[in-house]
Amino acid sequence: MTRMSFLIRLLTLLGQETEKRLGILGELFLFLLEGFRLLFTTPGILRKTVQQIYAVGAQSFFLIAGIGLFTGMVLGLQGYYVLIKFGSVGFLGAAVSLSLIRELGPTLAAVMITGRAGSSMTAEIGVMRISDQIDALEVMDIPGMGYLVSPRFAAALIAFPLLTAIFDVMGIAGGYLTGVMLLGINPGSYFYSMESSVLMADVCEGFIKSAVFSVLVTLICCYCGYTAHCRRDSKGPEAVANATTSAVVYSCIIVLIADYAITSAMLR
């Protein structure tokens, strides 16, 4: 009887937790639909979108460029000492470019943007939520979602692929610096192997990933900030801090899961 009651209690807790997670997924889906619906009905959204492109994209430029450069340099260094064992250093350009364009570029760019711009999204919206500024917008018949969330969706869809492209270019340049200028690989073989190996399908895969990551990161960060007042673990400024931490952690996890899912689907 004791074992049976323990099993029933365990199944009850499991069911409650599953119901809670499914409810959150449903709220996220409705939040996403509402955010995209208001893209076409909110007045003055173009100006807000341009502002968010600057905040998400332009202000992340040097971060993305620097990390892309050093990522490519590390790939060039590591790839050289792996390929030289097989006498295939001429394929270094292909190894660096494919690694960046298909995987590391969109994934690392999304993680870096999450840390810099995603956390800012959550904190800004969260502060407006706990200080009743969003309620004030609603009182003035200004949709909070359309004013705060929809422009960020549009801006992220534009900024993420552009920043991913910058990351890829800087990474390839970093691989060139390491492989050609420091280790003495023939520059012609570096670029020829890259040109002959990289296909348009690889470039499209990278941009598809960056577009998907932009929606997921913006969705999670904006949702965590927009619902900061509903958190059960904290209230006030502490809720904003916890919401920002949760947004960054969950976004990074979701980006990696989505990266695996998209890669698996496209390799079939």
Side-chain angles (χ1 to χ4, degrees), residues 35-36 39 45-58 60 113 116-117 121 146-163 210-211 213-215 217-218 222:
F36 275 103
L39 271 175
I45 197 166
L46 181 60
R47 180 176 60 86
K48 295 292 296 181
T49 300
V50 172
Q51 292 175 352
Q52 291 303 318
I53 290 174
Y54 175 77
V56 175
S60 302
I113 298 170
R116 202 214 67 80
M121 289 183 197
Y147 186 78
L148 297 173
V149 177
S150 297
R152 287 177 165 84
F153 276 122
L157 279 170
I158 296 171
F160 270 64
L162 292 176
L163 290 172
S210 64
F213 296 161
S214 69
V215 174
V217 169
T218 308
C222 290

Side-chain angles (χ1 to χ4, degrees), residues 62-73:
F62 291 106
L63 173 68
I64 294 299
I67 292 175
L69 179 66
F70 284 101
T71 300
M73 292 176 69

Side-chain angles (χ1 to χ4, degrees), residues 54-107:
Y54 175 77
V56 175
Q59 293 187 341
S60 302
F61 174 81
F62 291 106
L63 173 68
I64 294 299
I67 292 175
L69 179 66
F70 284 101
T71 300
M73 292 176 69
V74 171
L75 280 175
L77 190 63
Q78 294 285 1
Y80 176 83
Y81 286 107
V82 170
L83 293 174
I84 199 173
K85 296 179 180 180
F86 304 98
S88 305
V89 292
F91 292 99
L92 181 64
V96 171
S97 57
L98 286 174
S99 298
L100 287 167
I101 291 172
R102 298 189 62 162
E103 292 297 333
L104 293 179
T107 305

Side-chain angles (χ1 to χ4, degrees), residues 242-262:
N242 290 337
T244 303
T245 302
S246 299
V248 173
V249 172
Y250 291 149
S251 295
C252 292
I253 294 173
I254 291 298
V255 162
L256 295 176
I257 294 173
D259 178 50
Y260 174 80
I262 296 172

